[in-house]
Amino acid sequence: MDYPDHFDVIVIGGGHAGTEAALASARMGANTLLLTHNIETLGQMSCNPAIGGIGKSHLVKEIDALDGAMARATDRGGIQFRVLNARKGPAVRATRAQADRILYKATIREILENQANLQIFQQAADDLMIEGEQVVGVVTQSGIRFRAQKVILTAGTFLGGVIHIGMEQHSGGRAGDPPALRLAQRLRELPLRVERLKTGTPPRIDARSVDFSVMQVQPGDTPTPVMSFMGSRAEHPQQINCFITHTNAQTHDIIRTGLDRSPMFTGVIGGVGPRYCPSIEDKIHRFADKDQHQIFVEPEGLTTHELYPNGISTSLPFDIQLALVRSMRGFENAHITRPGYAIEYDYFNPQDLKHTLETKSISGLFFAGQINGTTGYEEAGAQGLLAGINAAAQALGREGWYPRRDEAYIGVMIDDLITHGTSEPYRMFTSRAEYRLLLREDNADLRLTEQGRKLGIVGDERWAAFCAKREAIELEAQRLKETWIQPGSAEAAKLADKLTSPMSREYSLADLIKRPELGYADVADLKGEPVDHEQAAEQVEIQLKYSGYIDRQKDEIAQMQRQENTPLPADFDYDAVGGLSNELKSKLKEHQPETLAQASRIQGMTPAAISLLLVYLKKRQ
Ligand code: FAD
């Protein structure tokens, strides 16, 4: 049947990309339908119930700055919070939370169900309706035809999904869920480049069968970090500990005895796996000289006994899984509740997408999440948000948006994917961002919330809180710059013990904060009242302490911006550019960069080649 209502945007898939996409599209004001296999699995965490971590927390906070759901759900579901790299500079600091997967999922569902302009429908999408080169809707498993102006596909690991445990294999989207086979088949008929990737997950363990007394305890941080700019510690549920154990020589021997039945080592799995999240069999092979690997033992929630042993992702046969688990300290009597497995799935070459995540070949069809070759909830959520914004903007006849590399990690990820593609699951790292001193997790709101408000996706509550924070930062920075401390004064005496060299002249409070041995907390109350806003105080401190580096990075960005504003016409004849190597010519023809800056980021591109392009462009004018 033809469904009577027409939608502006249909999102296929209710995972991390799909939920952010649907929410963003609806917040933009577009009449949106979220079509997913199962309403009970909205926001389901397929693997470890943890959000954030190095590079990834930057994405979560950027999603949050644009009023997305991930950080808010983390604050309401997080059972252990830590700041990684806390002793390093603010650019690489990263908040990570272990979540109760049930609480997390429930929060995502609640947010979805209370979002205006958003309808949810449970059923598999089996086909896309395409007229000419334009998508016009979706056909479900039972033949319901939903029409829409734009469609966002976020099918995760489900397209042509094959699950492997030892030499056994079966079709599946992830354990317990059906694969999307018909849709995968249909997509393979479209002019899109499809490849296979794989990922894996560890066996889960019943906590009642584990001896925690012989494991190292890993508590969360105090005071407890908060993920959302709008969040608070008061929202957090009960906080609990994680634990640490290790593999050992016996574990490694057991794994080796199973390699002849490993789908990875016998060539049954062809897809490439995540390099930075390898299986335990891969680790034993690649780091043969290491006699142990650290395993984080992480609870899956407050109302379940299931544990996630982070570090032993595996697709070895079940008998080997059980033996390797039981060879570890504290796991001698462990009961496995779910076997580990690997999954192979279809992904599409992201070079076939525009920066808005719309496919180049089918107008109105957007791709987001794992299907673009990424791995991780955060990477998926960030893409979903962007696709949601742009699909809705197009449907409503408004201007779309995507951030540049100097504005957001989302911009870095999209540009990396579209410019270089990926042949292995792509995950975010701080090292991927060239302007990481500016793209910190702590200032994601200052970078993006105003833009989000202009787009119409930032609600009144967040906007009011943001404006108050921004004003508090400005006023406090002003106060610190205008408040002076004289040498020999009572205030200076209070600092004497902390100073590495005595105060030889008058200092403003701002100047004092810039000294390495002092921080905001040491000086803010020497004269006058410190700001009563935790985030504003942190921001003022970071902005003052790193002002020299930050200014230098801003200069670099201004220089790059000039290249970013230099468009390369679509009909640019690279063969006519004298002095350009054939290899670079063919790369430029393949990538079709839209600007000089995009061209400069193509692998192997040299500054000399960019100068040649510039000279040629000037001659053309
Ligand atoms: P998903 O979360 O997979 O969501 C896809 C959604 O689309 C689901 O709700 C599904 O039901 C729905 N759907 C699919 N097809 C259709 C259809 N035809 N019709 C209707 N609905 C459909 N990430 C890491 O960072 N590290 C890891 O170690 C890691 N290990 C993993 C191990 C396993 C076994 C799996 C399955 C995933 C793992 N991940 C890991 C990846 C992580 O789960 C994904 O990156 C993330 O969930 C991707 O989000 P997504 O929204 O793109 O897709």
Side-chain angles (χ1 to χ4, degrees):
M1 75 164 265
D2 286 326
Y3 195 76
D5 303 336
H6 286 201
F7 292 91
D8 293 322
V9 175
I10 293 180
V11 178
I12 303 174
H16 306 275
T19 52
E20 294 293 354
L23 287 167
S25 166
R27 287 202 305 282
M28 292 276 290
N31 183 18
T32 306
L33 177 73
L34 175 56
L35 182 61
T36 194
H37 275 141
N38 185 351
I39 288 179
E40 304 304 325
T41 61
L42 287 169
Q44 170 117 322
M45 295 161 138
S46 313
C47 195
N48 186 4
I51 296 283
I54 311 285
K56 289 172 174 266
S57 66
H58 293 67
L59 291 170
V60 181
K61 299 220 176 204
E62 288 176 2
I63 296 171
D64 187 58
L66 294 164
D67 226 355
M70 190 171 267
R72 279 183 288 156
T74 305
D75 277 327
R76 281 163 61 183
I79 52 178
Q80 195 220 41
F81 288 80
R82 290 193 305 138
V83 175
L84 312 181
N85 282 340
R87 290 206 194 91
K88 296 192 182 160
V92 294
R93 261 176 232 157
T95 309
R96 179 195 190 272
Q98 186 69 24
D100 175 311
R101 63 167 70 250
I102 296 168
L103 289 176
Y104 183 89
K105 212 166 67 165
T107 309
I108 292 288
R109 181 161 169 189
E110 187 190 321
I111 295 173
L112 285 166
E113 288 192 359
N114 288 292
Q115 175 65 51
N117 307 321
L118 178 61
Q119 303 294 334
I120 303 171
F121 191 76
Q122 170 173 306
Q123 200 159 123
D126 270 7
D127 200 356
L128 297 174
M129 291 153 68
I130 294 171
E131 289 173 2
E133 286 173 1
Q134 166 90 40
V135 73
V136 294
V138 180
V139 187
T140 70
Q141 194 176 16
S142 68
I144 306 171
R145 296 157 65 85
F146 287 99
R147 286 190 85 86
Q149 293 192 56
K150 311 287 160 192
V151 173
I152 305 173
L153 182 66
T154 70
T157 52
F158 287 64
L159 293 173
V162 175
I163 288 177
H164 299 261
I165 304 175
M167 303 314 276
E168 304 282 316
Q169 46 183 279
H170 63 273
S171 291
R174 68 186 158 208
D177 284 317
L181 297 179
R182 291 179 66 173
L183 186 60
Q185 207 175 10
R186 178 72 176 105
L187 289 163
R188 279 179 177 258
E189 291 163 11
L190 300 178
L192 298 159
R193 287 176 283 179
V194 190
E195 298 286 340
R196 299 284 278 173
L197 285 176
K198 79 118 198 166
T199 189
T201 198
R204 307 302 201 270
I205 293 167
D206 187 332
R208 292 169 301 176
S209 63
V210 173
D211 181 1
F212 293 104
S213 69
V214 296
M215 293 183 180
Q216 191 183 325
V217 183
Q218 192 192 43
D221 289 352
T222 4
T224 318
V226 176
M227 194 63 93
S228 168
F229 292 107
M230 297 290 288
S232 78
R233 284 175 195 114
E235 285 178 285
H236 293 169
Q238 182 195 343
Q239 300 295 294
I240 57 178
N241 291 330
C242 293
F243 296 84
I244 295 173
T245 186
H246 295 89
T247 62
N248 53 48
Q250 192 197 348
T251 320
H252 299 187
D253 284 343
I254 294 167
I255 292 168
R256 281 188 206 101
T257 63
L259 291 184
D260 59 341
R261 287 183 291 142
S262 152
M264 275 176 60
F265 283 80
T266 52
V268 174
I269 293 181
V272 182
R275 184 198 308 212
Y276 309 102
C277 212
S279 64
I280 187 68
E281 49 270 36
D282 210 13
K283 280 195 262 189
I284 305 297
H285 179 72
R286 269 166 48 189
F287 311 106
D289 52 326
K290 283 194 94 174
D291 49 18
Q292 64 170 34
H293 292 277
Q294 188 165 251
I295 308 301
F296 294 96
V297 181
E298 301 172 327
E300 293 234 345
L302 297 172
T303 52
T304 170
H305 293 298
E306 280 196 302
L307 296 171
Y308 180 95
N310 190 346
I312 53 165
S313 162
T314 183
S315 54
L316 286 164
F318 181 70
D319 57 309
I320 301 289
Q321 292 191 22
L322 188 62
L324 84 87
V325 165
R326 288 191 173 177
S327 69
M328 285 187 272
R329 213 166 141 75
F331 282 155
E332 291 83 354
N333 299 307
H335 171 70
I336 290 182
T337 53
R338 306 175 202 222
Y341 66 94
I343 182 162
E344 273 188 296
Y345 55 92
D346 287 355
Y347 83 103
F348 299 92
N349 187 331
Q351 287 171 302
D352 292 343
L353 302 175
K354 300 177 187 169
H355 275 70
T356 53
L357 296 183
E358 185 181 15
T359 56
K360 286 180 181 162
S361 55
I362 295 153
S363 173
L365 178 63
F366 293 72
F367 282 179
Q370 192 99 356
I371 61 164
N372 288 339
T374 59
T375 175
Y377 313 128
E378 303 81 354
E379 289 81 354
Q383 290 172 64
L385 176 96
L386 197 69
I389 291 172
N390 285 292
Q394 276 192 20
L396 300 171
R398 302 213 308 250
E399 211 173 308
W401 173 78
Y402 59 86
R404 297 186 311 262
R405 292 182 77 88
D406 59 295
E407 289 177 314
Y409 271 77
I410 302 178
V412 172
M413 173 173 65
I414 301 298
D415 192 60
D416 279 350
L417 290 170
I418 277 136
T419 314
H420 302 305
T422 186
S423 52
E424 61 183 27
Y426 175 101
R427 70 150 284 181
M428 187 41 82
F429 286 110
T430 47
S431 57
R432 296 197 191 270
E434 51 278 60
Y435 306 114
R436 53 185 169 274
L437 209 50
L438 283 178
L439 306 188
R440 305 182 310 271
E441 65 160 33
D442 62 78
N443 70 353
D445 55 345
L446 295 168
R447 292 185 274 117
L448 297 172
T449 299
E450 188 165 356
Q451 176 63 44
R453 183 70 177 176
K454 278 189 206 142
L455 287 163
I457 49 164
V458 168
D460 292 345
E461 197 191 340
R462 182 178 294 267
W463 182 241
F466 170 76
C467 291
K469 173 179 164 181
R470 193 165 56 178
E471 193 184 350
I473 294 169
E474 277 162 21
L475 290 176
E476 183 61 351
Q478 194 67 22
R479 180 184 81 87
L480 296 171
K481 282 178 193 155
E482 289 169 356
T483 307
W484 296 88
I485 304 293
Q486 315 298 329
S489 64
E491 291 90 6
K494 284 191 200 161
L495 281 182
D497 288 350
K498 292 177 185 154
L499 292 175
T500 49
S501 60
M503 274 175 64
S504 53
R505 59 173 175 86
E506 187 186 44
Y507 272 89
S508 71
L509 293 179
D511 288 337
L512 285 169
I513 289 177
K514 287 183 192 168
R515 292 176 71 136
E517 70 271 32
L518 295 178
Y520 180 84
D522 299 310
V523 308
D525 64 352
L526 283 179
K527 240 188 206 180
E529 282 287 306
V531 64
D532 184 19
H533 193 304
E534 200 178 323
Q535 289 179 28
E538 180 195 26
Q539 207 42 235
V540 171
E541 176 171 35
I542 293 172
Q543 286 180 6
L544 287 171
K545 265 204 176 306
Y546 298 93
S547 56
Y549 301 102
I550 289 172
D551 289 346
R552 205 176 313 152
Q553 215 152 73
K554 282 184 179 158
D555 288 344
E556 284 171 31
I557 289 169
Q559 197 184 341
M560 193 266 301
Q561 200 73 62
R562 286 192 283 275
Q563 291 191 350
E564 205 72 72
N565 291 334
T566 309
L568 289 172
D571 63 347
F572 196 106
D573 181 7
Y574 292 105
D575 288 324
V577 184
L580 208 56
S581 73
N582 285 337
E583 188 196 345
L584 286 182
K585 278 180 190 166
S586 74
K587 279 191 176 175
L588 284 160
K589 280 189 262 178
E590 185 197 336
H591 287 284
Q592 293 284 327
E594 287 163 31
T595 64
L596 201 61
Q598 277 177 26
S600 72
R601 291 190 288 271
I602 294 174
Q603 253 155 23
M605 192 57 62
T606 61
I610 293 298
S611 304
L612 289 172
L613 292 179
L614 250 180
V615 170
Y616 184 79
L617 269 176
K618 282 205 180 117
K619 266 201 233 154
R620 262 174 60 125
Q621 281 164 2

